[in-house]
Amino acid sequence: MALTDLHVRNAKATGKNYTLGDYDGLSLFVSPKGSKAWHFRYHWLGKQSRMSLGMYPELSLRDARAMRDEARTLIAKGINPRIARKQKQQAARLAGEHTFIAVYERWLAYRALALEEGRQSTLAQIRRVFKKDVIPPLRRMAIHAITRHHLLEVVGRIEKRGSLWVAEKVRTWFRQLFGYAMVIVPNMENNPARDLHVVAVPLPPVQHNPFLRMQEIPSFLRILRTYQGREVTQLAVRLLLLTGVRTGELRLATPAQFDLKRGLWVIPAASLKQRMMLTRKQRKRVNDIPPYIVPLSSHAREIVKQLLNDFKPAQKYLFPGALRLTDRMSENTVNFALKRMGFDGRLTGHGLRATLSTALNEIG
């Protein structure tokens, strides 16, 4: 006979275990002390099995019957309901353990093993972009629950404000992060970051740094001589033009890198823009990569000699910051000086490197 709410409610403790049957395998188990639990009995692979559905009164008769019917539906589909429930519980546990923020932090720590620190480093860019654009909408989501649609929404907001290069980087970082998640997160079988580029807004054409042609250099040098800003900035521009080094390498220059007797500037691999490519390609540590040797002309040596003579005890870099001697020159200092000299849109600090290269090629 089918149970009623009254039967269930009036089932009392008798000092022994006993069971009240419902139908289709559902029953109410009553303990010697009167606690009540719902059980479901079923046959699987020729053997009788039993699974607990929950306690009464937390789980009503109506709810217990609904859970029994769900279990019977799984059996009809060839699925063991007990195993299915364990998998569901495991998925819920994994969802709590493997939120997006938890996986992101593990991935970032892994990336930090190979990436260098620094304000403009890849590691710093990842932190800034994820903090601003990615973590707020995805922070508490289970990594398994994140779909391609969620990632497209994040990238779409970045594209909408016109930051197409940032969006391109985020797509790449998503592929790396979710590829990492597929290895470390149990039951992570799909990478939702695949093929995000298919609907990407096209990037604008690459605009190379503007530079001067050989016939423009004499007038540029005349203007440079009358520059009214800091002398160290003028010397920085002149040394860039004479050596062809990158602005980053110039800003990181220290007195120890210069051998004026031999007329050499020895730039360590740690200061080179391509250091990461070199370490990955050659599978060497940065300290094991030979330095970059820049020969110094007589004019370049005179500039370095003047800078060394003016070097203060508090300085670390040959080209100090404008506000603090302990800092290096700002990355915008050279470009701002060129702008003040009337070369806005016509020349940049990096363009000085291209100017020298073009002039040397024209000379042959």
Side-chain angles (χ1 to χ4, degrees), residues 11-119:
K12 304 298 182 183
T14 63
K16 296 182 180 180
N17 294 330
Y18 70 94
T19 300
L20 299 176
D22 189 43
Y23 62 92
D24 287 341
L26 181 65
S27 62
L28 181 72
F29 171 80
V30 183
S31 73
K33 293 184 178 181
S35 62
K36 304 170 186 178
W38 296 107
H39 289 169
F40 170 60
R41 288 183 170 83
Y42 63 99
H43 285 82
W44 184 258
L45 300 179
K47 295 182 179 180
Q48 189 179 70
S49 296
R50 187 190 73 181
M51 63 184 291
S52 176
L53 301 181
M55 301 298 293
Y56 178 87
E58 289 81 2
L59 195 68
S60 68
L61 173 60
R62 181 177 179 179
D63 292 336
R65 284 172 175 170
M67 291 181 68
R68 173 206 59 198
D69 292 343
E70 291 176 6
R72 284 170 55 82
T73 300
L74 290 174
I75 294 170
K77 295 178 179 179
I79 301 172
N80 189 326
R82 179 187 290 175
I83 295 176
R85 183 172 66 179
K86 286 182 178 179
Q87 290 174 340
K88 189 174 181 180
Q89 291 171 343
Q90 183 185 32
R93 178 179 59 80
L94 290 175
E97 293 177 359
H98 299 288
T99 59
F100 176 82
I101 188 65
V103 176
Y104 160 74
E105 288 174 349
R106 290 183 63 181
W107 170 74
L108 190 64
Y110 170 74
R111 292 300 310 275
L113 297 176
L115 296 177
E116 297 179 359
E117 291 284 358
R119 194 162 66 90

Side-chain angles (χ1 to χ4, degrees), residues 221-240:
L221 292 175
R222 285 193 295 270
I223 296 172
L224 179 59
R225 290 191 193 98
T226 61
Y227 177 66
Q228 298 299 310
R230 297 169 66 221
E231 184 181 22
V232 69
T233 304
Q234 184 196 69
L235 295 176
V237 175
R238 288 174 61 191
L239 194 58
L240 284 172

Side-chain angles (χ1 to χ4, degrees), residues 111-168:
R111 292 300 310 275
L113 297 176
L115 296 177
E116 297 179 359
E117 291 284 358
R119 194 162 66 90
Q120 295 300 324
S121 66
T122 298
L123 203 57
Q125 290 179 45
I126 292 174
R127 291 191 183 112
R128 284 197 300 270
V129 172
F130 272 69
K131 181 179 180 181
K132 177 181 179 181
D133 297 306
V134 181
I135 292 176
L138 301 181
R139 172 187 287 274
R140 292 182 176 84
M141 290 188 68
I143 198 75
H144 300 84
I146 295 175
T147 65
R148 184 176 286 118
H149 175 72
H150 293 117
L151 303 185
L152 286 174
E153 283 190 334
V154 171
V155 176
R157 283 192 289 269
I158 298 172
E159 289 178 332
K160 192 173 182 179
R161 68 169 187 257
S163 302
L164 301 185
W165 291 104
V166 174
E168 178 68 13

